[in-house]
Amino acid sequence: MAPAHAAIQFLALSGWRSGEALKLRWTEIDVAARTALLPGTKTGRSMRPLSNAACDVLRKLPHVSDLVFPSSRGSGPMPKLGRFWGRIATLASLPSNVTPHTLRHSFASVGADLGYSDLTIAALLGHRTRTVTSRYARTADPVLLAAADAIANRVREAIGT
């Protein structure tokens, strides 16, 4: 699977910001614990629970770089998903206002439709509304992992993967 294709699947199944995924390093992920510890996000250091579906995407990727989703040209991070996203949007006949960031909104909306609280959804998305204790935690709360799984499974059903 091409890194850009995997990155888009990961975004749909995790609700992450595209910049967080494109800068993600293998050393920041613990697939066994289903967590990622991101040192510098828009809201600072962030521990994110990962759904089994998002972990499945990660398990299929080769470790050809320290980056999870490396650029196909050069050795740095993928600059943007724009060109690849444009092809996907065209093939899927998506409206022009649907962007990779829309995947984040959709993940949150599915969580709300499934009845998860704003605080649970915020924790999955990496919003700042967490407690001080949760900033230091290195393991994901089982409730958050279950929520991540339920949301990702519904998204996976919707996109047919």
Side-chain angles (χ1 to χ4, degrees):
M1 176 183 317
H5 181 246
I8 288 172
Q9 276 192 341
F10 182 81
L11 292 174
L13 298 170
S14 68
W16 286 21
R17 296 173 185 92
S18 59
E20 294 168 344
L22 297 182
K23 293 176 187 171
L24 183 63
R25 299 185 179 282
W26 288 110
T27 56
E28 297 167 347
I29 301 169
D30 184 344
V31 175
R34 297 176 46 211
T35 59
L37 187 58
L38 307 178
T41 70
K42 183 178 175 182
T43 57
R45 186 172 175 266
S46 180
M47 192 282 301
R48 303 282 177 81
L50 296 169
S51 66
N52 278 312
C55 287
D56 287 345
V57 171
L58 298 174
R59 284 185 197 100
K60 292 176 186 173
L61 293 173
H63 291 239
V64 297
S65 166
D66 63 327
L67 293 164
V68 176
F69 305 107
S71 174
S72 57
R73 295 188 178 129
S75 60
M78 196 180 306
K80 286 186 180 179
L81 292 171
R83 205 170 104 215
F84 190 75
W85 179 260
R87 283 186 274 171
I88 287 175
T90 300
L91 288 171
S93 301
L94 297 175
S96 61
N97 64 339
V98 176
T99 68
H101 193 72
T102 306
L103 299 174
R104 181 171 170 82
H105 291 268
S106 297
F107 186 88
S109 294
V110 169
D113 290 346
L114 290 172
Y116 290 103
S117 71
D118 288 350
L119 288 175
T120 297
I121 295 167
L124 295 174
L125 296 177
H127 287 167
R128 205 177 274 253
T129 58
R130 302 163 305 187
T131 66
V132 172
T133 304
S134 71
R135 290 185 204 153
Y136 295 100
R138 295 209 176 256
T139 59
D141 181 313
V143 172
L144 291 178
L145 289 171
D149 282 341
I151 296 167
N153 288 340
R154 183 67 58 90
V155 170
R156 190 163 44 184
E157 288 171 16
I159 62 176
T161 62

